Amino acid sequence: MAAALMAGVVGVGGGGGGVGLGLGGWGRRMHTLFSGSARTYFDWQTVGWLHSLRKAGHPGLTRLLSSSAPTIRSYAASLAPSPDLLTVPLLHVSHPRTGDWYPAINKPAGVVHWLKHSKDAENVDWVVILDADMIVRGPILPWELGAEKGKPVAAYYGYLRGCDNVLARLHTKHPELCDKVGGLLVMHIDDLRALAPLWLSKTEEVRGDRAHWATNITGDIYGQGWISEMYGYSFGAAEVGLRHKINDDLMIYPGYIPRVGVEPIIMHYGLPFEVGNWSFSKLDHHEDDIVYDCNRLFPPPPFPREIEMMEANPNLRRSLFLSIECINTLNEGLLLHHASMGCPRPKWSRYMSFLKSKRFAELTKPKYLNADQIHYQLSEKKIVSEEVEREHPKIHTLFSTECSTYFDWQTVGLMHSFRLSGQPGNITRLLSCTDEDLKRYKGHDLAPTHYVPSMSLHPLTGDWYPAINKPAAVLHWLNHVQTDAEYIVILDADMIMRGSITPWDYGAKRGHPVSTPYGYLIGCDNVLAKIHTRNPAACDKVGGVIIMHIDDLRKFALLWLHKTEEVRADKAHYATNITGDIYGSGWISEMYGYSFGAAELNLRHIIRRDILIYPGYVPEPGVKYKVFHYGLRFGVGNWSFDKADWRDVDMVNNCWAKFPEPPDPSTVAAEAENIRQRDLLSIECGRALNKALYLHHLKRNCPTSESSNNATHIEKTTGISLVSSDQGHSDSMRINRKNRDSVFDSHLQSTHGSHHVRSRWAGMFALWVFSVLGFLTIITVVLSSNRRWSSRTRAARSKKSFA
């Protein structure tokens, strides 16, 4: 099996593979390369890529197409005018020595061949390497981007974790120089000549190292060495001492929210994206011959005026405009290509008229960068960053999970929503695992992760209490990770973000964390607080979402853990009328650990009811909540969802597994408006979880044939139907952003919140109680016989811990 390597070559003087001087003469001659296979899948990408470069004013275009087949000339001629075409020998997909089928190796192999055999390569100073699935919005000129000899410019590929572990130590002499980069590469020709042979040989080397293909080593979610070519580049670059200037502002994935003030020059549509009910995924067009089907285009996205009505937030609106620009540019390229094929003039439509309008031309005009602008942007960016840092300090988001598929699907949901939320700063999953669990665990790639020893089974008391992992993990992270964040946002895994959660929006400051109300923590008002904190008057009934200054958290984290252990051991006060725990089993001890620890430091919370909503609760009119907390069962009509029903179902590793689809929003009866909005919020949460799973499975390249098989398997093994009675809509997993942002959120009622679901553990807890009955009896007798002595002892212990 063979594939043609296609490479676009940009000559500054333009045309015919020639490389003109222009733009300042010698030292500013450049080529642009991209790779792909001789298939319709890459044909339409090529059309879009070439059109966007020409539209952006990129100086001169030549495409290299490699093939040993004589017919490749007629194939390639249909995609590029002959003056822009240069053919090179085909590079076989199957390795000539090992027989390994690895198409990605064509990329470095093609670059090596071009350097050796192309006359253009002898008359060039700079090379830009892109992927085929990109839309370029302005000229990419190396000297304006700050590229230097020995210092290429590149985009960040953070998942290349092999740069930090044994993989780099095995495959390069300079692991400390390994940069996690890819996507966009801009480098001097001398650097490329030194790098290219190593890029190829290191790719072969990593690809052959099957012993280190595992996900926890490479970051490759398939664990099959598929990203060996990326490591080949990073290791080869490290070997020759290249240090990259990593630029996160040049490239964006459509659907992602750009940073304020940043104008991306490249749109990389490698992931699915959507605008309202419209969506696009390149994988849906894998065998699409749209290039050769006269006047057929991709489904048109919403018009700009619809975007303006759909989204009020200016930065979110800008993200939607980028998404429609991407597909509109692709469609414009297809129209022009069809015209060049001699296709008849397309019929008039509103969309055709828009693509030829002044408005569209204005929206897609080239985004220019020159040396002065680059210098200004970098200097200005530094100044703005310093100002913003004073006004809007850095934040970091944390959430705690365990090594189980139950937490994995929650992680998939939270991470997907985090990427869409516009939340500033980074996010870290605190993953609590035993050594044995960690050996079997498969979900390393689901989120940026800090690994924590599990305390589910307490190492000193033997108490089985998984909730203690949350404070223990936060404390472990603080003790083992250096952070420059000024504020920490702490979430639960069973949450979906609907927007950013920042200290400046909610008034957090030193000594005054922000949190959401947990009214059922009645222990703050009775003897429980008097026993376990010196400042019972400072006990706040809060939890769920926490925004806290890092200085407060450093002082508080140990107390949070200590007070959790203390309350958990106070079995004499487990009763419901004391704790508010309807099960009277001490399950919410961690919550009291938080409230009592905060009271001990006299941290007074800013309690905000406008952050969090439990799906299924009646909304408070006019409030835009930022978080769904799906800890309780909720439903609409005959459809319902309870996370506890999916505790033992592997939704992440079973291809195309998903939850029963909620009803279509259009079917929600317009009775009382607050009830209607409640149901719309519930539907939005259910759809968000399914959308996250869909994109996860899509990223794993799950075959479509497995969809029904896995659904049947899960239904048989769990007894849970994966099909809702309201299903049947092909777009049922798409998030309707317009509905999402127009509906109201609800306030938190005084109930037991997400911890109702923890009742599932009551049976296991009962078994544990019986196993240590003797020990519990002794503790109970001591505590009940001398409660006053116990209170003084605990108070003294708290003072000692705080000191």
Side-chain angles (χ1 to χ4, degrees), residues 496 615 628 630 634 639 641 659-662 680-692 732-733:
I496 294 293
F628 283 134
Y630 55 90
F634 61 97
W639 173 86
F641 179 82
F659 302 113
E661 285 292 345
L680 289 175
L681 290 174
S682 296
I683 290 170
E684 180 188 334
C685 183
R687 283 187 163 194
L689 284 169
N690 270 344
K691 181 65 175 182
S732 58
M733 284 189 294

Side-chain angles (χ1 to χ4, degrees), residues 365-404:
K365 65 182 180 181
K367 311 302 186 289
Y368 293 106
L369 292 175
N370 55 47
D372 292 336
Q373 285 176 318
I374 288 292
H375 175 72
Y376 173 78
Q377 285 181 357
L378 293 176
S379 300
E380 184 69 18
K381 182 180 176 183
K382 182 177 181 181
I383 294 170
V384 170
S385 296
E386 290 172 354
E387 291 176 351
V388 168
E389 197 162 316
R390 286 193 294 270
E391 183 182 354
H392 297 313
K394 290 184 179 180
I395 66 178
H396 194 108
T397 303
L398 302 176
F399 69 101
S400 176
T401 72
E402 300 169 31
C403 276
S404 70

Side-chain angles (χ1 to χ4, degrees), residues 329 337 447 627 707:
T329 304
H337 172 69
V627 174
S707 178

Side-chain angles (χ1 to χ4, degrees), residues 30-35 49 58 107-108 111 126-131 134 140-142 145 147 151-157 160 179-189 191-192 195-196 199 229-230 232-234 237 242-247 250-251 266 268:
M30 55 179 285
H31 279 68
T32 299
L33 312 176
F34 76 100
S35 64
W49 188 87
H58 210 66
K107 187 173 183 178
V111 172
W126 298 95
V127 178
V128 178
I129 302 175
L130 303 174
D131 290 338
M134 289 179 171
I140 305 169
L141 306 178
L145 298 181
K151 296 179 180 179
V153 171
Y156 181 61
Y157 273 5
L160 297 178
D179 290 326
K180 303 173 183 178
V181 293
L184 164 69
L185 303 170
V186 183
M187 70 178 63
H188 195 274
I189 186 66
D191 293 334
L192 186 61
L195 165 68
W199 184 0
E229 174 271 316
M230 297 183 184
Y233 176 88
S234 291
L242 299 181
R243 297 314 309 265
H244 294 82
K245 293 184 176 182
I246 303 174
N247 191 313
L250 291 173
M251 187 178 80
I266 296 171
H268 191 180

Side-chain angles (χ1 to χ4, degrees), residues 691-713:
K691 181 65 175 182
L693 284 171
Y694 170 74
L695 294 177
H696 167 75
H697 294 310
L698 199 63
K699 184 178 178 182
R700 293 179 62 206
N701 289 333
C702 283
T704 55
S705 60
E706 287 190 19
S707 178
S708 58
N709 293 338
N710 277 317
T712 303
H713 171 72

